[in-house]
């Protein structure tokens, strides 16, 4: 099978959209945080916690959407911790984020061991099943790729539209963007920068956790320790690649996922088999670095990103 | 609420918050131990006993502290200059790879020549590995947190490739591990019969050396100045970019020594599970040490004791050993908050 054949197959694009979905959730979450001025490096740990929380909730008997809600709530709680330390206290967002990732990851692994002490392999749940959208999924070619996905994938794309709408078409979105560009102006309007930033970090972290939960509730049907595997860091690169804009970040995630789907398929070609498989596995991380380098000259970064705001300080 | 700087913090102001932070970490661990069905006092008792309760336990703690001192120093020196090196894990493996390559017989030298040669080459490899993100930062403004994090994944895959390909031990029964080091390339034990190698002494020496660099040299002064205010440092005529790059070389080199010391002193060969996240734990160590080189030694010993003790406790009481990771992560978060509260007071609007 040559590359052209791969790139024109519906199965390939269906896989790319599936791989992109968790990245889209988490990238939107990070984007919300960063637009408000907070770099959230807790993303990796929050995704791990979300993946586990959603999965264990469903395993304990909640419906699948209940699992998504539990993951979202878990993410919001971790986000509240990040927000408290980084916004009103203005602590280093680098240190708080890395600390939160370490905390959330170890809390997750600990809880796993406490809840499931004697299992050698994690139990399976019944995950979200593909739901072909009547009509659209019958469009020849890409119709089946885009519209024979699980409901959680549709939710990911709906979220992009929602985030774009709120950010650019509502007073709330204006306030969030202003908090990331010029917090003093927000405060001068009588709004609380602290409240806006806290809210953004809490909600954004919720979406990161749902991105993690996508892995356990839709992409797979079980929880593994190294499941998230750096996806959080990749999402941070995707936010930069998307120039902090929801639509561009989504396109970036799809492009990225397409590369990922491609490398999996190239591994199975006769030429691909000659190349060490580790090189293929490196591609997502190498691409992320490349994306950061390519975008570095285009300075569209929110002006007050990583700058704490202390009222009364001039 | 807002924060107000305290002009002259009292002694109590400087001591109470950090003490409360450590207490808080123990409190978090106690609650989690209870949830897992363990008695917190029994859990902490077992951790202490497992960490320092016997000669064997104590030596194990010192051995575990060795790589943590190196990675802690690597993080401390970088963070002090506000170079956010989260890639100590990859730099550690870079040092380990060099040790596994040079220590298996390609250089027929006596130990007195071979060991320094390997150590210096290992440092060079780690330094170069961090130089890439540092250059991307200084030249293009690419955030080094993300690039160093991503490099961790890339480099571990590279090591995996090496262990299944060029470096694979033909006598390894199919396991992805490198060939054993020759005797000349092994760091000897400090005292014959005691399971503690010279890597530990090298770690202590590195801490003292870094302390001297920080306190007594121009570079140490410049690194702090750049960390506190890069703009001001630039205005004062300091070569900020050069200082950042030198910091990167120093930091990467120190982290690589952890890999050298683990392979040459402890394990004797390279495997993919050489480091259970020493690079990341180094961040906790450095922060608990307030980025002070000598503090790093104390913090590394503390952190190693908790890890070694938690392993023993877990075997005895069945409470998962991840409780150690939680304790340290919460200690890290509470400590950064506590340090802030030693200098600022919270004022209600």
């Amino acid at each position: 099978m040559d590359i052209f054949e791969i790139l024109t197959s519906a199965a390939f694009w269906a896989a790319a959209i599936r791989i992109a979905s968790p990245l889209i959730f988490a990238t939107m979450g990070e984007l919300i945080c960063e637009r408000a001025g907070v770099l959230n490096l807790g993303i990796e740990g929050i995704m791990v916690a979300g993946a586990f929380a959603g999965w264990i909730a469903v395993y304990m008997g909640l419906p699948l959407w209940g699992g998504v809600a539990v993951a979202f709530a878990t993410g919001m709680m971790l986000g509240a911790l990040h927000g408290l330390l980084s916004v009103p206290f203005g602590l280093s967002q680098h240190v708080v984020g890395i600390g939160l990732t370490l905390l959330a990851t170890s809390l997750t692994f600990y809880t796993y061991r406490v809840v499931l002490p004697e299992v050698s392999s994690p139990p399976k749940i019944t995950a979200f099943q593909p739901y072909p959208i009547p009509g659209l999924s019958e469009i020849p070619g890409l119709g089946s790729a885009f519209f024979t996905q699980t409901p959680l994938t549709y939710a990911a794309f709906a979220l992009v539209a929602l985030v774009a709408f709120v950010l650019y078409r509502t007073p709330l979105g204006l306030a969030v963007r202003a908090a990331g560009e010029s917090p003093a102006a927000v405060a001068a309007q009588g709004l609380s920068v602290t409240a806006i930033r806290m809210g953004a970090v809490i909600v954004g972290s919720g979406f990161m956790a749902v991105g993690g939960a996508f892995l356990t509730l839709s992409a797979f049907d079980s929880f593994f320790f190294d499941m998230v595997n750096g996806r959080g860091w990749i999402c941070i690169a995707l936010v930069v690649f998307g120039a902090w804009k929801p639509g561009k970040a989504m396109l970036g995630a799809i492009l990225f996922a397409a590369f990922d789907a491609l490398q999996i398929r190239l591994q199975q070609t006769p030429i691909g088999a000659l190349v060490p498989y580790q090189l293929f596995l490196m591609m997502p991380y190498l691409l992320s670095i490349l994306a950061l380098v390519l975008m570095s000259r285009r300075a569209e970064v929110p002006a007050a990103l990583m700058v704490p705001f202390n009222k009364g300080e001039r | 609420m807002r924060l107000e700087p305290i002009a002259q913090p009292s002694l109590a102001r400087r001591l109470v918050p950090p003490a409360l932070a450590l207490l808080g970490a123990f409190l978090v661990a106690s609650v989690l131990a209870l949830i897992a069905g363990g008695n917190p006092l029994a859990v902490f008792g077992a951790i202490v006993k497992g960490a320092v309760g016997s000669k064997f336990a104590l030596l194990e703690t010192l051995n575990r502290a060795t790589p943590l001192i190196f990675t802690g120093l690597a993080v401390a020196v970088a963070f002090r200059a506000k170079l956010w090196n989260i890639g100590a894990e990859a730099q550690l493996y870079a040092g380990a790879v060099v040790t596994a390559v040079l220590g298996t017989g390609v250089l027929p030298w006596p130990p007195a020549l071979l060991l320094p040669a390997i150590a210096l080459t290992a440092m060079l490899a780690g330094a170069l590995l961090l130089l890439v993100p540092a250059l991307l930062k200084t030249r293009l403004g690419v955030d080094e947190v993300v690039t160093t994090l991503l490099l961790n994944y890339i480099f571990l895959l590279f090591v995996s490739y090496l262990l299944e390909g060029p470096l694979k031990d033909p006598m390894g029964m199919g396991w992805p591990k490198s060939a054993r080091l020759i005797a000349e390339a092994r760091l000897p034990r400090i005292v014959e019969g005691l399971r503690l190698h010279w890597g530990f002494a090298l770690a202590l020496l590195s801490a003292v050396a870094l302390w001297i660099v920080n306190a007594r040299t121009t570079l140490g002064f410049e690194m702090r100045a750049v960390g506190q205010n890069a703009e001001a440092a630039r205005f004062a005529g300091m070569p900020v970019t050069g200082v950042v790059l030198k910091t990167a070389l120093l930091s990467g080199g120190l982290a690589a020594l952890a890999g050298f010391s683990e392979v040459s002193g402890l394990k004797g060969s390279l495997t993919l599970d050489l480091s259970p996240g020493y690079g990341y734990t180094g961040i906790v160590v450095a922060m608990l040490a307030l980025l002070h080189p000598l503090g790093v030694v104390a913090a590394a010993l503390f952190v190693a004791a908790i890890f070694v003790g938690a392993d023993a406790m877990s075997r005895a009481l069945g409470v998962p050993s991840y409780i150690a990771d939680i304790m340290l992560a919460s200690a890290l978060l509470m400590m950064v908050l506590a340090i802030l509260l030693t200098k600022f007071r919270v004022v209600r609007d």
Side-chain angles (χ1 to χ4, degrees):
Chain A
M1 196 155 67
D2 61 13
I3 288 193
F4 181 74
E5 238 177 285
I6 294 175
L7 289 179
T8 50
S9 76
F12 167 77
W13 285 103
I17 297 295
R18 189 174 63 241
I19 295 169
S21 303
L23 301 177
I24 290 175
F25 274 118
T27 303
M28 289 305 124
E30 183 68 36
L31 188 143
I32 295 170
C33 298
E34 293 194 20
R35 279 316 277 266
V38 181
L39 174 73
N40 189 342
L41 291 177
I43 183 168
E44 179 82 7
I46 292 171
M47 287 181 81
V48 173
F52 175 76
W55 171 77
I56 200 76
V58 173
Y59 175 70
M60 300 274 192
L62 280 190
L64 284 165
W65 287 107
V68 174
V70 168
F72 190 72
T74 306
M76 291 212 298
M77 278 193 289
L78 292 168
L81 179 59
H82 188 298
L84 178 70
L85 294 171
S86 63
V87 180
F89 286 112
L91 292 168
S92 157
Q93 295 174 11
H94 284 118
V95 175
V96 169
I98 296 292
L100 186 68
T101 283
L102 293 175
L103 181 67
T105 310
S106 49
L107 264 176
T108 302
F109 295 171
Y110 184 81
T111 314
Y112 179 95
R113 287 268 185 257
V114 171
V115 178
L116 303 163
E118 320 255 316
V119 296
S120 51
S121 69
K124 291 183 184 309
I125 57 157
T126 309
F128 278 107
Q129 298 302 314
Y131 177 82
I133 295 181
L136 291 175
S137 61
E138 286 140 37
I139 301 170
L142 292 184
S144 69
F146 285 94
F147 299 108
T148 314
Q149 298 284 352
T150 68
L152 215 46
T153 292
Y154 303 135
F157 285 89
L159 177 65
V160 177
L162 180 71
V163 170
F165 176 78
V166 172
L167 271 183
Y168 293 107
R169 295 275 184 275
T170 66
L172 175 65
L174 180 65
V176 168
R177 286 185 290 133
E181 293 289 347
S182 172
V186 175
Q189 288 286 315
L191 296 171
S192 163
V193 176
T194 306
I196 294 167
R197 286 186 168 176
M198 282 290 289
V201 174
I202 290 173
V203 172
S205 301
F207 290 131
M208 294 170 191
V210 174
F214 184 94
L215 298 172
T216 48
L217 300 182
S218 184
F220 305 96
D221 52 8
S222 197
F223 175 82
F224 306 99
F225 274 26
D226 53 357
M227 185 158 221
V228 176
N229 205 13
R231 279 185 178 81
W233 314 130
I234 288 169
C235 290
I236 291 185
L238 284 174
V239 172
V240 179
F241 182 74
W244 288 268
K245 295 185 173 65
K248 276 192 183 173
M250 176 197 74
L251 289 178
I254 295 174
L255 184 71
F256 186 87
F259 269 109
D260 206 20
L262 184 64
Q263 62 91 1
I264 296 168
R265 280 160 178 74
L266 285 181
Q267 276 188 56
Q268 290 146 5
T269 61
I271 303 163
L274 299 175
V275 181
Y277 69 92
Q278 288 95 347
L279 188 66
F280 287 111
L281 295 180
M282 276 179 203
M283 292 312 285
Y285 310 112
L286 287 170
L287 276 174
S288 299
I289 293 182
L290 186 70
L292 288 172
V293 171
L294 287 178
M295 289 297 147
S296 62
R297 288 289 179 203
R298 305 236 224 104
E300 292 174 75
V301 43
L305 183 62
M306 290 190 273
V307 183
F309 182 72
N310 196 5
K311 214 180 331 170
E313 202 178 75
R314 289 286 176 267
Chain B
M1 59 164 272
R2 79 200 145 79
L3 300 170
E4 209 176 73
I6 303 169
Q8 294 287 330
S10 63
L11 189 64
R13 196 26 125 160
R14 278 181 289 160
L15 291 183
V16 172
L20 284 178
L22 283 182
L23 200 68
F26 279 101
L27 210 66
V28 169
S30 303
V31 172
L32 289 166
L34 279 173
I35 292 172
N39 171 355
L41 287 178
V43 167
F44 289 130
I47 289 180
V48 172
K49 187 159 160 280
V52 293
S54 64
K55 199 169 85 176
F56 176 82
L58 201 60
L59 287 171
E60 186 59 30
T61 297
L62 295 180
N63 268 324
R64 194 79 69 96
T66 304
L68 291 176
I69 295 175
F70 286 121
T71 56
L73 291 172
V75 173
V77 70
F79 278 25
R80 194 159 161 272
K82 292 248 162 56
L83 173 72
W84 304 101
N85 174 18
I86 322 290
E89 189 76 4
Q91 293 138 25
L92 178 154
Y93 274 99
V97 166
V98 166
T99 310
V101 170
L102 295 183
T104 38
V106 280
L107 299 176
W109 296 352
L113 213 57
L114 183 59
L115 283 169
I118 296 178
L120 288 174
T121 318
M123 287 183 80
L124 187 67
L128 290 179
L129 194 58
L130 183 54
L131 192 62
V132 177
L135 279 171
L136 288 178
K137 173 195 169 85
T138 54
R139 290 288 170 85
L140 300 170
V142 177
D143 189 289
E144 72 278 20
V145 172
V146 189
T147 44
T148 51
L149 274 166
L150 291 166
L151 272 173
N152 287 342
Y153 292 86
I154 293 169
F155 201 82
L156 242 83
L157 284 163
F158 176 62
V159 175
S160 156
Y161 158 70
L162 289 178
L163 290 178
E164 289 177 17
L167 285 187
K168 185 173 182 175
D169 181 9
M171 316 293 279
M173 318 280 278
W175 285 101
K177 66 187 276 293
S178 73
R180 288 201 74 76
L181 263 55
I182 53 172
E184 288 83 355
R186 295 296 304 268
L187 278 167
R189 293 183 171 178
I190 297 175
V191 178
E192 203 46 55
L194 284 187
R195 196 169 164 271
L196 184 69
H197 56 86
W198 274 96
F200 181 68
L202 184 63
L204 296 184
L205 207 65
S206 305
V208 173
L210 184 61
W211 177 48
I212 293 171
V213 167
N214 276 352
R216 290 272 177 276
T217 66
T218 316
L219 178 63
F221 176 74
E222 286 177 337
M223 288 193 296
R224 194 176 65 199
V226 167
Q228 282 176 349
N229 191 336
E231 276 313 302
R234 204 184 309 273
F235 195 68
M238 284 181 203
V240 173
T241 303
V243 172
V244 170
L245 296 181
K246 279 182 207 159
T247 309
L249 293 174
L250 196 54
S251 173
L254 282 165
L257 279 181
F260 160 71
S261 149
E262 285 296 281
V263 173
S264 171
L266 199 65
K267 299 285 171 67
S269 65
L270 172 62
T271 54
L272 206 53
D273 60 357
L274 179 76
S275 158
Y278 288 138
Y280 300 102
T281 311
I283 300 169
V284 181
V285 168
M287 293 309 297
L288 289 182
L290 311 184
L291 309 184
H292 192 288
L294 299 186
V296 163
V297 174
L301 287 169
F302 174 71
V303 168
I306 288 183
F307 273 125
V308 172
D311 283 347
M313 178 281 299
S314 181
R315 283 191 297 273
L317 301 178
V319 172
S321 59
Y322 287 111
I323 200 165
D325 301 80
I326 299 174
M327 229 157 91
L328 295 173
S330 45
L332 164 69
L333 289 175
M334 286 191 263
M335 192 57 93
V336 284
L337 179 60
I339 293 159
L340 178 87
L341 293 179
T342 58
K343 296 179 205 139
F344 291 86
R345 73 166 64 85
V346 178
V347 187
R348 291 186 66 90
D349 291 330

